[in-house]
Amino acid sequence: MDKHYPEIGRETITMRWGDMDAVGHLNNTYYFRYLEQVRINWLDRMGLSINPESTGPVIAHTGCTFKRELTYPATVEVTIEVEKLGRSSLKLRHHFYRQGDPDTVYAIGEATLVWVNYQTGQSIPLPEVIRTQVAAALAAAENQS
């Protein structure tokens, strides 16, 4: 069974008719688009909007394991969990749920982000706001156990 890590966010995405593939399932490319949107919304909420003239994340790795098919109509809930926090990188884990079916994991996504200076292409330390949010999630998880 897939391990769950401290949840630092959750987004809801309404599946559109055009998001399906020819056999009526959520097209596999849309899982990655949903993950991208979840990350962008999360960063925006922390005041870390993408600005090509500044600093921000680049994707070092991404992947998705498909467990069950999502079909239209559906409202999809995607978690944001931190699996690993490094000096300039963080590995995120995501679980896809169908709203109304909170016990079934439909897919498990992952992404490793590296924080960089977009002008130089060099990695830099993660912003403190990310470290603070992760520390708070870890503390909350420890208090629940």
Side-chain angles (χ1 to χ4, degrees):
M1 182 167 171
D2 181 63
K3 181 176 179 180
H4 288 255
Y5 296 90
E7 190 173 310
I8 58 173
R10 184 178 286 244
E11 292 281 328
T12 301
I13 299 174
T14 302
M15 186 176 162
R16 300 171 305 178
W17 174 262
D19 295 352
M20 289 188 298
D21 61 18
V23 292
H25 305 141
L26 180 62
N27 185 295
N28 60 359
T29 62
Y30 278 90
Y31 287 84
F32 293 96
R33 288 184 182 205
Y34 288 6
L35 290 175
E36 176 184 62
Q37 192 59 55
V38 164
R39 283 191 307 273
I40 294 297
N41 292 349
W42 175 62
L43 292 169
D44 285 348
R45 281 193 304 277
M46 288 187 290
L48 299 172
S49 299
I50 303 297
N51 177 353
E53 297 178 11
S54 184
T55 64
V58 294
I59 300 287
H61 170 80
T62 189
C64 191
T65 301
F66 307 101
K67 299 287 199 177
R68 297 193 61 187
E69 299 89 2
L70 280 163
T71 56
Y72 181 88
T75 300
V76 182
E77 292 185 10
V78 184
T79 65
I80 305 169
E81 305 164 26
V82 173
E83 183 175 336
K84 184 178 178 187
L85 187 66
R87 182 193 74 83
S88 62
S89 66
L90 70 156
K91 184 174 182 179
L92 300 175
R93 174 80 46 160
H94 305 275
H95 287 81
F96 286 74
Y97 298 95
R98 181 185 203 104
Q99 198 169 62
D101 187 8
D103 298 323
T104 303
V105 176
Y106 285 77
I108 302 162
E110 61 183 47
T112 301
L113 306 178
V114 176
W115 219 264
V116 300
N117 177 314
Y118 290 133
Q119 300 302 306
T120 66
Q122 298 297 309
S123 68
I124 60 172
L126 288 169
E128 195 58 39
V129 66
I130 291 176
R131 292 191 180 285
T132 300
Q133 188 177 82
V134 170
L138 289 170
E142 286 178 13
N143 289 337
Q144 291 179 355
S145 52

Short mmCIF file of all heavy atoms in Angstrom, two decimals, residues 29-54:
data_model
loop_
_atom_site.label_atom_id
_atom_site.label_comp_id
_atom_site.label_asym_id
_atom_site.label_seq_id
_atom_site.Cartn_x
_atom_site.Cartn_y
_atom_site.Cartn_z
N THR A 29 -2.76 12.11 -19.86
CA THR A 29 -2.02 13.38 -19.86
C THR A 29 -2.66 14.40 -18.92
O THR A 29 -1.97 15.28 -18.40
CB THR A 29 -1.93 13.99 -21.28
OG1 THR A 29 -3.25 14.28 -21.75
CG2 THR A 29 -1.22 13.06 -22.23
N TYR A 30 -3.97 14.28 -18.68
CA TYR A 30 -4.65 15.23 -17.82
C TYR A 30 -4.29 15.06 -16.35
O TYR A 30 -4.36 16.01 -15.57
CB TYR A 30 -6.16 15.21 -18.04
CG TYR A 30 -6.53 16.03 -19.24
CD1 TYR A 30 -6.58 15.47 -20.51
CD2 TYR A 30 -6.78 17.39 -19.11
CE1 TYR A 30 -6.88 16.22 -21.62
CE2 TYR A 30 -7.08 18.17 -20.22
CZ TYR A 30 -7.13 17.58 -21.47
OH TYR A 30 -7.41 18.34 -22.57
N TYR A 31 -3.88 13.88 -15.95
CA TYR A 31 -3.41 13.71 -14.58
C TYR A 31 -2.23 14.65 -14.34
O TYR A 31 -2.15 15.29 -13.29
CB TYR A 31 -2.98 12.27 -14.32
CG TYR A 31 -4.13 11.29 -14.22
CD1 TYR A 31 -4.69 10.72 -15.35
CD2 TYR A 31 -4.64 10.93 -12.97
CE1 TYR A 31 -5.74 9.82 -15.25
CE2 TYR A 31 -5.69 10.02 -12.86
CZ TYR A 31 -6.24 9.48 -14.01
OH TYR A 31 -7.28 8.59 -13.91
N PHE A 32 -1.34 14.75 -15.32
CA PHE A 32 -0.19 15.64 -15.19
C PHE A 32 -0.59 17.11 -15.24
O PHE A 32 -0.02 17.94 -14.54
CB PHE A 32 0.87 15.30 -16.26
CG PHE A 32 1.48 13.96 -16.04
CD1 PHE A 32 1.01 12.84 -16.73
CD2 PHE A 32 2.51 13.78 -15.13
CE1 PHE A 32 1.56 11.58 -16.52
CE2 PHE A 32 3.07 12.53 -14.92
CZ PHE A 32 2.59 11.42 -15.61
N ARG A 33 -1.59 17.42 -16.04
CA ARG A 33 -2.09 18.80 -16.08
C ARG A 33 -2.74 19.17 -14.76
O ARG A 33 -2.58 20.29 -14.26
CB ARG A 33 -3.07 18.99 -17.24
CG ARG A 33 -2.38 18.99 -18.57
CD ARG A 33 -3.35 19.27 -19.67
NE ARG A 33 -2.63 19.21 -20.93
CZ ARG A 33 -3.00 19.85 -22.01
NH1 ARG A 33 -4.08 20.58 -22.00
NH2 ARG A 33 -2.30 19.74 -23.11
N TYR A 34 -3.49 18.23 -14.19
CA TYR A 34 -4.11 18.48 -12.88
C TYR A 34 -3.02 18.69 -11.82
O TYR A 34 -3.12 19.58 -10.99
CB TYR A 34 -5.01 17.33 -12.48
CG TYR A 34 -6.31 17.19 -13.24
CD1 TYR A 34 -6.63 17.99 -14.35
CD2 TYR A 34 -7.24 16.25 -12.87
CE1 TYR A 34 -7.82 17.84 -15.03
CE2 TYR A 34 -8.45 16.10 -13.54
CZ TYR A 34 -8.73 16.89 -14.63
OH TYR A 34 -9.91 16.74 -15.31
N LEU A 35 -1.98 17.87 -11.86
CA LEU A 35 -0.87 18.03 -10.91
C LEU A 35 -0.22 19.40 -11.07
O LEU A 35 0.12 20.05 -10.08
CB LEU A 35 0.17 16.92 -11.08
CG LEU A 35 -0.26 15.53 -10.66
CD1 LEU A 35 0.82 14.52 -11.00
CD2 LEU A 35 -0.60 15.48 -9.18
N GLU A 36 -0.01 19.81 -12.30
CA GLU A 36 0.58 21.12 -12.56
C GLU A 36 -0.29 22.22 -11.96
O GLU A 36 0.21 23.12 -11.29
CB GLU A 36 0.73 21.32 -14.07
CG GLU A 36 1.24 22.68 -14.47
CD GLU A 36 1.27 22.83 -15.97
OE1 GLU A 36 0.19 22.76 -16.61
OE2 GLU A 36 2.38 23.02 -16.51
N GLN A 37 -1.60 22.14 -12.18
CA GLN A 37 -2.50 23.19 -11.68
C GLN A 37 -2.53 23.21 -10.15
O GLN A 37 -2.54 24.27 -9.53
CB GLN A 37 -3.92 23.00 -12.22
CG GLN A 37 -4.80 24.19 -11.96
CD GLN A 37 -4.24 25.46 -12.60
OE1 GLN A 37 -3.98 25.50 -13.79
NE2 GLN A 37 -4.03 26.49 -11.79
N VAL A 38 -2.50 22.03 -9.54
CA VAL A 38 -2.47 21.94 -8.08
C VAL A 38 -1.20 22.62 -7.54
O VAL A 38 -1.26 23.39 -6.57
CB VAL A 38 -2.54 20.45 -7.65
CG1 VAL A 38 -2.13 20.26 -6.21
CG2 VAL A 38 -3.93 19.90 -7.89
N ARG A 39 -0.06 22.36 -8.16
CA ARG A 39 1.20 22.97 -7.72
C ARG A 39 1.17 24.49 -7.91
O ARG A 39 1.59 25.24 -7.02
CB ARG A 39 2.40 22.39 -8.48
CG ARG A 39 2.81 21.03 -8.02
CD ARG A 39 4.15 20.63 -8.61
NE ARG A 39 4.22 20.72 -10.07
CZ ARG A 39 3.86 19.75 -10.91
NH1 ARG A 39 3.42 18.59 -10.45
NH2 ARG A 39 3.96 19.93 -12.21
N ILE A 40 0.68 24.96 -9.05
CA ILE A 40 0.62 26.39 -9.33
C ILE A 40 -0.28 27.09 -8.30
O ILE A 40 0.08 28.14 -7.76
CB ILE A 40 0.13 26.66 -10.77
CG1 ILE A 40 1.16 26.15 -11.78
CG2 ILE A 40 -0.18 28.14 -10.99
CD1 ILE A 40 2.51 26.82 -11.71
N ASN A 41 -1.44 26.52 -8.02
CA ASN A 41 -2.35 27.11 -7.03
C ASN A 41 -1.70 27.16 -5.65
O ASN A 41 -1.81 28.16 -4.93
CB ASN A 41 -3.66 26.33 -6.95
CG ASN A 41 -4.50 26.46 -8.21
OD1 ASN A 41 -4.22 27.29 -9.08
ND2 ASN A 41 -5.51 25.63 -8.33
N TRP A 42 -1.02 26.08 -5.27
CA TRP A 42 -0.34 26.00 -3.98
C TRP A 42 0.74 27.08 -3.88
O TRP A 42 0.82 27.80 -2.88
CB TRP A 42 0.24 24.59 -3.81
CG TRP A 42 1.06 24.37 -2.59
CD1 TRP A 42 0.64 24.47 -1.29
CD2 TRP A 42 2.44 24.01 -2.54
NE1 TRP A 42 1.69 24.17 -0.44
CE2 TRP A 42 2.81 23.90 -1.18
CE3 TRP A 42 3.41 23.76 -3.51
CZ2 TRP A 42 4.09 23.54 -0.78
CZ3 TRP A 42 4.69 23.41 -3.11
CH2 TRP A 42 5.01 23.30 -1.75
N LEU A 43 1.56 27.21 -4.91
CA LEU A 43 2.61 28.22 -4.91
C LEU A 43 2.02 29.64 -4.89
O LEU A 43 2.51 30.51 -4.16
CB LEU A 43 3.53 28.04 -6.12
CG LEU A 43 4.39 26.77 -6.12
CD1 LEU A 43 5.04 26.57 -7.48
CD2 LEU A 43 5.41 26.81 -5.01
N ASP A 44 0.97 29.86 -5.66
CA ASP A 44 0.32 31.17 -5.69
C ASP A 44 -0.18 31.57 -4.30
O ASP A 44 -0.02 32.72 -3.89
CB ASP A 44 -0.84 31.21 -6.68
CG ASP A 44 -0.40 31.28 -8.13
OD1 ASP A 44 0.80 31.53 -8.39
OD2 ASP A 44 -1.28 31.08 -9.00
N ARG A 45 -0.78 30.62 -3.58
CA ARG A 45 -1.30 30.90 -2.24
C ARG A 45 -0.18 31.32 -1.28
O ARG A 45 -0.42 32.05 -0.32
CB ARG A 45 -2.05 29.70 -1.67
CG ARG A 45 -3.45 29.54 -2.20
CD ARG A 45 -4.26 28.55 -1.38
NE ARG A 45 -3.66 27.24 -1.27
CZ ARG A 45 -3.74 26.27 -2.17
NH1 ARG A 45 -4.44 26.46 -3.28
NH2 ARG A 45 -3.17 25.10 -1.98
N MET A 46 1.03 30.85 -1.52
CA MET A 46 2.17 31.22 -0.66
C MET A 46 2.88 32.48 -1.16
O MET A 46 3.90 32.87 -0.60
CB MET A 46 3.18 30.06 -0.60
CG MET A 46 2.68 28.89 0.20
SD MET A 46 3.97 27.65 0.43
CE MET A 46 4.13 27.00 -1.23
N GLY A 47 2.38 33.07 -2.23
CA GLY A 47 3.02 34.26 -2.78
C GLY A 47 4.23 33.94 -3.63
O GLY A 47 5.10 34.79 -3.82
N LEU A 48 4.29 32.71 -4.15
CA LEU A 48 5.43 32.26 -4.95
C LEU A 48 5.03 32.03 -6.41
O LEU A 48 5.39 31.02 -7.02
CB LEU A 48 6.02 30.98 -4.35
CG LEU A 48 6.55 31.09 -2.93
CD1 LEU A 48 6.92 29.72 -2.38
CD2 LEU A 48 7.74 32.02 -2.87
N SER A 49 4.29 32.96 -6.97
CA SER A 49 3.86 32.83 -8.36
C SER A 49 5.07 32.73 -9.28
O SER A 49 6.13 33.30 -9.01
CB SER A 49 3.01 34.03 -8.77
OG SER A 49 1.86 34.09 -7.95
N ILE A 50 4.90 32.01 -10.37
CA ILE A 50 5.99 31.82 -11.33
C ILE A 50 6.30 33.14 -12.03
O ILE A 50 5.42 33.78 -12.59
CB ILE A 50 5.61 30.74 -12.38
CG1 ILE A 50 5.26 29.41 -11.70
CG2 ILE A 50 6.72 30.58 -13.41
CD1 ILE A 50 6.40 28.78 -10.94
N ASN A 51 7.58 33.51 -11.97
CA ASN A 51 8.06 34.73 -12.62
C ASN A 51 9.39 34.38 -13.28
O ASN A 51 10.39 34.21 -12.60
CB ASN A 51 8.24 35.85 -11.60
CG ASN A 51 8.81 37.11 -12.22
OD1 ASN A 51 9.20 37.15 -13.38
ND2 ASN A 51 8.87 38.17 -11.42
N PRO A 52 9.42 34.27 -14.61
CA PRO A 52 10.65 33.88 -15.31
C PRO A 52 11.85 34.79 -15.08
O PRO A 52 12.97 34.42 -15.38
CB PRO A 52 10.25 33.91 -16.79
CG PRO A 52 8.78 33.92 -16.82
CD PRO A 52 8.31 34.50 -15.54
N GLU A 53 11.64 35.97 -14.53
CA GLU A 53 12.74 36.89 -14.26
C GLU A 53 13.23 36.80 -12.82
O GLU A 53 14.03 37.62 -12.38
CB GLU A 53 12.32 38.31 -14.60
CG GLU A 53 12.00 38.48 -16.08
CD GLU A 53 11.53 39.87 -16.44
OE1 GLU A 53 11.65 40.78 -15.59
OE2 GLU A 53 11.06 40.03 -17.57
N SER A 54 12.74 35.79 -12.09
CA SER A 54 13.07 35.69 -10.67
C SER A 54 13.58 34.28 -10.35
O SER A 54 14.46 33.77 -11.05
CB SER A 54 11.82 36.03 -9.84
OG SER A 54 12.11 36.05 -8.47
#
